[in-house]
Amino acid sequence: MSSSTYTVYYGSLVTPKTLTSYDASLHALVAVNSHGVIDWVVYDVQDSLVQTTLLEKGCPDAEVVELKDGQFMMPGFVDTHTHAPQLPNIGSGYQYELLEWLKQVTFPMEAKFSNVEFARKTYSSVVHRIINQGTTTCCYYGTLHLDATKELANIVHSLGQRAFVGKCNMDRNSETYYVEPSWQSSVTDTRALISHIQNLESGSSGIPLVKPILTPRFAISCSDQLLSSLGELAKSNPSLHIQTHISENLSEIQYTRDLFPKCKSYADVYDSFGLLRDNTVLAHAVHLSKEEIELVANRKAGISHCPTSNFNLNSGVAPIGKYLDRGIKVGLGTDVSGGYFPSILNSVRNASIASKIIAMQNRGQNDNQGGRGGFANDQLSIATLLYLATLGGAEVCAIDQEVGSLVPGKSFDAIVADVRDTAGNPALWSIDAETHDLTGKDALEGMLQRFLFCGDDRNISDVFVQGRRIGGKSN
């Protein structure tokens, strides 16, 4: 490949390795080819050796993009669970718990998306905002409306974000003004959306960035016939992803048990209909039983941890450490508008708090202190939080061979974080030579921690998907 087909990024780099470790280099070279894929990475290259390294790699004339001091590259965030039509409701209705919140706040807003022009205008703003929060991959719930959800897919595609887009399936137990007329129409519209998304053009890399995802809203909203038909659709296409909710709220769990008395548990409902497998994304999982944990683990399904929403709607605290110990895939979700902010950074902070609450409630019951098999009853480390926000989310979405870390062979889905004063975020004390030592690895780890706990969209200079810049604050 000729030098001109490479873009080489030079600067500080952070990328996850495992749940307990990550790589950090103050002077890394990352070579991205014309298809948006990382060809090679070299750590710890001093300024004087950059050109020598490029020559050794056979690309002496490659374009070099140099990051500034106080900036670093890291993988883009993966939001494994959010509701695109609910962003207009952020900050509303938090006096309710889940089922009443849906009735009083959520369904009235989602019903407005029967108006396609309203959907087009709203979704354009929604997707822009989410991209600029550093989210390079997003699992979107649409509404039950086919045409509106097509618009969501179109907008995501046009803006270049990697995403899974699903039309909600809900043919019962909703408001009369917001429910599908039959299970047959729900399946017909689902098939139409799948076809529409699959017919969207691939990007310049030839890789389709937007993919369809089956979206039974939750068991309560779906009849047996609908779940059975969705299960058959899933069976006919093993690559088709699935997303739904599980065990978010105690009242929801009891209602589900009443509706499906033949099933052993909430998780067993989905399993009975063939909807629990290695590319299933289960949102929340706050109150899973031991048997359900085993079932989810055996099916290799993933859990989207949405701590902000779980706090906000008084649902509970998910025992994420217990799931990690069992080897279950876990990522983070914003769950807007149960969650009040469309940024994975906010989910990172609340995931940290949630783990500390569990640790405080179970002091002395974990002696492993973060070793593999020792996450339960312990607070999550910076390495674990980084992993959940990036590579863990990619695992949940079953795309971890493509994205989630900045290593050779994966797509350059990345953000450039900027923790300098000039970013304009007063919550993040600047990292500069006057107040901090910027010469060692500790400096970079300090920048990462401050970004995770104090950063916001003002600290996200650039957002890249498949090597293409699609957002960020810099001009």
Side-chain angles (χ1 to χ4, degrees):
M1 184 173 290
S2 67
S3 299
S4 61
T5 60
Y6 280 111
T7 301
V8 179
Y9 296 89
Y10 178 57
S12 297
L13 168 68
V14 173
T15 188
K17 292 175 62 180
T18 70
L19 280 162
T20 56
S21 66
Y22 59 90
D23 282 326
S25 172
L26 281 170
H27 306 284
L29 285 169
V30 180
V32 181
N33 67 29
S34 60
H35 300 296
V37 175
I38 300 170
D39 262 17
W40 50 263
V41 178
V42 180
Y43 295 127
D44 303 323
V45 181
Q46 297 303 315
D47 290 359
S48 60
L49 296 177
V50 168
Q51 198 58 43
T52 299
T53 304
L54 295 178
L55 184 62
E56 290 174 350
K57 291 293 184 179
C59 52
D61 301 322
E63 177 189 4
V64 178
V65 177
E66 187 170 351
L67 276 62
K68 299 178 176 64
D69 290 338
Q71 294 183 326
F72 62 91
M73 294 173 278
M74 63 173 286
F77 297 126
V78 180
D79 188 343
T80 56
H81 180 70
T82 204
H83 294 263
Q86 292 181 23
L87 256 75
N89 277 342
I90 286 179
S92 304
Y94 297 144
Q95 68 270 32
Y96 302 115
E97 291 193 8
L98 175 63
L99 297 181
E100 192 65 16
W101 174 78
L102 289 171
K103 179 179 179 180
Q104 299 294 337
V105 179
T106 302
F107 291 158
M109 174 56 70
E110 291 194 13
K112 295 181 180 181
F113 286 77
S114 60
N115 182 321
V116 178
E117 184 55 40
F118 174 81
R120 184 180 298 115
K121 179 179 178 181
T122 303
Y123 284 148
S124 180
S125 175
V126 165
V127 179
H128 269 109
R129 292 187 187 198
I130 291 175
I131 288 172
N132 286 329
Q133 297 294 338
T135 299
T136 51
T137 298
C138 193
C139 291
Y140 287 109
Y141 281 59
T143 60
L144 57 76
H145 310 104
L146 172 60
D147 290 338
T149 311
K150 284 182 178 180
E151 285 301 318
L152 174 58
N154 292 345
I155 290 165
V156 173
H157 175 258
S158 68
L159 294 178
Q161 189 182 37
R162 193 182 304 275
F164 298 89
V165 177
K167 184 202 77 65
C168 279
N169 300 110
M170 41 192 303
D171 68 334
R172 67 170 179 176
N173 295 324
S174 185
E175 302 304 299
T176 55
Y177 61 83
Y178 190 58
V179 66
E180 293 177 291
S182 68
W183 66 266
Q184 294 95 331
S185 67
S186 182
V187 173
T188 297
D189 285 352
T190 296
R191 289 183 178 275
L193 179 68
I194 292 170
S195 178
H196 175 80
I197 292 175
Q198 290 176 338
N199 286 329
L200 293 173
E201 292 182 2
S202 299
S204 58
S205 64
I207 298 173
L209 297 178
V210 184
K211 296 181 180 180
I213 185 167
L214 292 182
T215 309
R217 188 179 196 115
F218 55 175
I220 289 172
S221 70
C222 299
S223 65
D224 286 42
Q225 297 97 321
L226 178 52
L227 289 174
S228 179
S229 296
L230 293 176
E232 287 300 315
L233 184 54
K235 183 179 180 180
S236 70
N237 185 356
S239 67
L240 186 59
H241 288 65
I242 303 162
Q243 62 180 355
T244 191
H245 299 78
I246 191 170
S247 298
E248 179 178 358
N249 170 280
L250 294 176
S251 297
E252 167 217 8
I253 294 169
Q254 186 56 55
Y255 195 3
T256 301
R257 288 173 176 165
D258 293 342
L259 290 172
F260 298 93
K262 294 181 180 179
C263 293
K264 299 174 184 177
S265 64
Y266 201 151
D268 187 48
V269 174
Y270 297 130
D271 193 49
S272 298
F273 290 102
L275 296 169
L276 198 62
R277 62 189 192 187
D278 64 353
N279 54 4
T280 298
V281 181
L282 298 169
H284 301 292
V286 178
H287 305 286
L288 294 183
S289 66
K290 291 181 180 179
E291 292 75 17
E292 287 179 301
I293 293 172
E294 287 304 306
L295 179 57
V296 171
N298 289 334
R299 296 293 183 265
K300 296 180 171 54
I303 290 173
S304 174
H305 180 33
C306 305
T308 308
S309 175
N310 296 338
F311 286 142
N312 222 25
L313 297 180
N314 200 28
S315 297
V317 183
I320 294 304
K322 184 185 297 184
Y323 302 153
L324 293 176
D325 283 349
R326 183 56 187 84
I328 294 174
K329 301 177 294 186
V330 178
L332 297 180
T334 57
D335 191 33
V336 168
S337 66
Y340 51 77
F341 202 61
S343 170
I344 287 296
L345 286 171
N346 191 70
S347 299
V348 164
R349 293 156 199 168
N350 282 306
S352 177
I353 292 170
S355 70
K356 290 176 181 179
I357 290 172
I358 291 176
M360 286 187 288
Q361 292 173 338
N362 298 275
R363 289 191 188 278
Q365 296 187 34
N366 182 12
D367 297 325
N368 246 343
Q369 297 299 314
R372 182 59 177 158
F375 293 94
N377 303 326
D378 200 2
Q379 69 184 60
L380 300 177
S381 68
I382 295 298
T384 306
L385 293 168
L386 172 65
Y387 193 95
L388 298 185
T390 56
L391 188 52
E395 290 174 341
V396 168
C397 296
I399 55 172
D400 52 296
Q401 297 302 307
E402 304 168 46
V403 299
S405 56
L406 300 182
V407 297
K410 290 192 179 184
S411 298
F412 189 67
D413 284 22
I415 61 176
V416 175
D418 187 340
V419 297
R420 299 174 300 161
D421 257 355
T422 51
N425 178 2
L428 200 159
W429 192 269
S430 66
I431 305 290
D432 57 42
E434 293 182 3
T435 55
H436 294 86
D437 177 11
L438 299 181
T439 59
K441 184 178 178 182
D442 288 347
L444 181 51
E445 294 179 343
M447 286 191 281
L448 171 64
Q449 186 165 344
R450 286 165 182 261
F451 173 63
L452 291 180
F453 282 95
C454 301
D456 59 28
D457 58 314
R458 290 169 292 188
N459 301 106
I460 298 173
S461 176
D462 301 280
V463 181
F464 298 91
V465 170
Q466 202 68 43
R468 173 191 169 203
R469 186 183 184 278
I470 65 167
K473 186 181 176 183
S474 71
N475 295 323

